[in-house]
Amino acid sequence: MDHETENLSPDAAGLARAAALLAAGELVSFPTETVYGLGGDARNARAVAGIYTAKGRPKFNPLIVHVHSLDAAERYAVFDDTARALAAQFWPGPLTMVLPLRADGGICDLVTAGLATVAIRLPAHPVARALLAAFDGPLAAPSANPSGKISPTSAQHVIQGLSGRIAGIVDGGICAVGVESTILALDPPAILRPGGLATEALEHAIGQPLPRGGDAQAPNAPGQLKSHYAPGTAVRLNATAPDRREIWIGFGPQCTTAAMNLSPTGDLTEAAANLFAFLRRADQQAHDTGATCIAIAQIPDYGLGQAINDRLERAAAPRPLDPSLGR
Ligand code: TXA
Ligand code: MG
């Protein structure tokens, strides 16, 4: 173990300690409304390299920069009228915009993987906002899980995956949204990753349909690798009922026999919030009972259902044999 990971409370003293660790180039996990992030100073190449090391993440993946205000965002990225209008409407919140990088902003190359663009987001979680204000700088923060594993929606999940590998964890409870932010490219407009902000809301704001961008074979970013978010157990999608020896995750009122139901009323927002915690629980149950597969009910493909289905397709994808690919 490199570190005794400090468990920090989300009060003034805990946040001051977290900010001091970050300023010293250490890594601190913090809650956002989507998932827990693994934060490091985006201007400090050693800190950012440490993020990749702690996660075991392949190096070609650019990271999202988190800021506490639109003014701060404009120091690192070039905003046009569309980007400003979207920021005014959806920030703070689960939207990440990919914008031209300001070369003089001080964001290090490891964050952008050398691209001329930067992914930037202003999170809504009060603890994330308080930490960004206390740190007073840009935080690079991927989800705080070992690469290829399920994203964390509680401090306990972060401890399970990264304890001993990072300096601190700020415990801010359970993440309300439960899936990562929606990533939007603007030139040309495209959804690079469906997420916690529904595509339909962005299409309505921009006034045009948004194509799905990105290529799983040639990812310009990690969340696009097919086998990302994989539990240890195999996953079967669009199941109408579980087979013997399958763990069953249901959705909606028709799944009355499911011990785990993502939303008994069929509410996609509730289902997104439960998704990663239920996948972990099902994985653990499979491990404990010798079940060979997790069967998951069909999820409608609109609103947050798009983000849920994106994550489930990755969870069900064949796993790469080469551990350097997507883990
Ligand atoms: O909700 C979230 O977005 C969470 C929380 C912690 O904020 N963060 C997160 O970060 O999911 P991460 O590092 O796991 O996702 C980074 C994604 C990559 O998969 C990639 O698709 C995209 O951001 N990305 C980053 N920089 C990019 C760029 N310059 N161009 C295109 N995509 C980029
Ligand atoms: Mg991630």
Side-chain angles (χ1 to χ4, degrees), residues 35-36 55 57 142-152 180 193 222-223 228-229:
V35 300
Y36 273 70
K55 283 181 66 83
R57 174 184 256 196
S143 51
N145 51 288
S147 192
K149 301 290 199 251
I150 298 166
S151 294
E180 292 87 343
R193 177 177 74 182
H228 209 61
Y229 308 106

Side-chain angles (χ1 to χ4, degrees), residues 259-326:
M260 274 181 278
N261 190 321
L262 287 167
S263 172
T265 61
D267 176 350
L268 289 165
T269 303
E270 180 185 20
N274 284 329
L275 179 66
F276 290 143
F278 281 20
L279 284 174
R280 279 169 194 274
R281 202 184 301 164
D283 206 16
Q284 184 63 47
Q285 278 179 22
H287 186 264
D288 294 345
T289 63
T292 52
C293 191
I294 301 167
I296 305 181
Q298 185 164 31
I299 310 291
D301 204 39
Y302 56 81
L304 294 198
Q306 287 184 12
I308 295 170
N309 283 322
D310 175 75
R311 306 307 185 272
L312 287 176
E313 279 157 26
R314 293 174 203 286
R319 315 293 157 76
L321 297 173
D322 178 346
S324 72
L325 289 174

